[in-house]
Amino acid sequence: MTTVTPEVLADLAPNGCLRAAINYGNPILAKRDPVTQAPTGVSVDMARQLASRLGAPVDFVTYDAAGKVVEGLQRNEWDVAFVARDPVRGKGIEQTFPYVIIEGAYLVREDSPIRSNEEVDQTGRIVVVGKGSAYDLFLTREITSATIVRSPTSPSVVNMMLAEGHDVAAGVKQQLQADVRRVPGLRMLDGRFMVIEQAMGTPKGREAGADFVKKFLYSMIESGFIASAIEAHGAGGALVASLPSGHGA
């Protein structure tokens, strides 16, 4: 097991506890307990396990959107986060290799003329996406003809699409499937438009902490901890990423 040095503690628990950013905007990995309102989910279990390795308490810093997690970094609100890999986020966050793979998909109204993913990016069409989400960052780079509008959070994408009469909702496949069950008259487009690589992240410049987190994450995949957490929380659609080389604990 990797040694917890004073440098590691200074990077990951500078205030005496591990401040873990938890994003409720990705309900596959984190949500509120319906009874206690406390955070629960795969990323919550991982944060607790990391804090245990450090011998420090954990303080959950919760957000309702991935973009707000990134904003929280500017205010020095957290020491470790669970966010999708993206080059824009990589400017301020030292990102690990992925530990979970999640699909991004499109949703439309049942009577929409759009029948495939390839038909989405056309002039005059409006795509709704959660502000600052991995889908927002990806589509901002990839969409050339359609217009992107942004809802405050990923779970509110479909409601905004319906309320404002837009054409397409983009987001976590499982979240959109739940919306199809929740709201009559909607359908998913077949396939996926992207694959999200969910990773852990630490603020740039904390090298000892970043190295410790990478080795910790490797052990979480190798031991089967993440697979067990996915099963325990019923996180359907989340697939454990393959182990990378060179990061063993």
Side-chain angles (χ1 to χ4, degrees), residues 11-12 94 96 202-203 206-215:
D11 281 352
L12 296 180
E94 185 67 34
T96 67
T202 50
R206 303 188 189 183
E207 287 84 3
D211 184 63
F212 187 91
V213 167
K214 289 174 183 175
K215 292 176 179 177

Side-chain angles (χ1 to χ4, degrees), residues 41-249:
V42 176
S43 57
V44 175
D45 289 354
M46 292 171 64
R48 288 197 175 102
Q49 190 69 14
L50 177 57
S52 177
R53 294 275 183 96
L54 295 172
V58 61
D59 178 21
F60 295 114
V61 186
T62 60
Y63 302 88
D64 61 8
K68 294 181 181 179
V69 175
V70 178
E71 292 170 3
L73 171 65
Q74 309 305 318
R75 299 186 293 268
N76 187 30
E77 293 178 348
W78 53 262
D79 306 304
V80 66
F82 300 83
V83 293
R85 288 173 56 84
D86 186 272
V88 173
R89 292 174 183 166
K91 294 178 181 179
I93 300 174
E94 185 67 34
Q95 299 172 310
T96 67
F97 46 86
Y99 66 91
V100 160
I101 304 299
I102 301 171
E103 294 180 315
Y106 290 131
L107 174 150
V108 297
R109 292 175 181 79
E110 186 63 54
D111 60 0
S112 170
I114 302 173
R115 310 305 300 182
S116 70
N117 292 336
E118 292 72 28
E119 296 173 15
V120 169
D121 188 13
Q122 294 185 15
T123 301
R125 288 182 173 157
I126 298 178
V127 181
V128 186
V129 66
K131 182 180 179 181
S133 66
Y135 320 101
D136 181 9
L137 299 176
F138 176 84
L139 292 174
T140 297
R141 293 192 298 270
E142 298 296 322
I143 290 288
T144 59
S145 299
T147 299
I148 298 174
V149 298
R150 296 166 177 85
S151 66
T153 68
S154 292
S156 65
V157 163
V158 170
N159 288 345
M160 181 174 175
M161 181 194 83
L162 294 172
E164 299 184 5
H166 300 314
D167 302 292
V168 181
V172 175
K173 187 173 186 178
Q174 288 70 32
Q175 175 69 56
L176 297 181
Q177 288 172 331
D179 287 321
V180 168
R181 295 189 293 270
R182 176 177 65 89
V183 182
L186 302 176
R187 62 179 166 85
M188 302 284 295
L189 298 185
D190 291 338
R192 63 196 186 194
F193 68 84
M194 72 174 295
V195 173
I196 299 99
E197 296 182 331
Q198 195 72 24
M200 294 180 69
T202 50
K204 285 280 192 182
R206 303 188 189 183
E207 287 84 3
D211 184 63
F212 187 91
V213 167
K214 289 174 183 175
K215 292 176 179 177
F216 160 80
L217 187 56
Y218 188 100
S219 72
M220 290 292 95
I221 298 173
E222 184 179 44
S223 68
F225 181 95
I226 294 174
S228 296
I230 289 172
E231 182 177 1
H233 291 287
L239 304 175
V240 180
S242 300
L243 278 169
S245 60
H247 289 289

Side-chain angles (χ1 to χ4, degrees), residues 11-23:
D11 281 352
L12 296 180
N15 299 319
C17 69
L18 174 71
R19 299 175 301 167
I22 301 297
N23 174 28

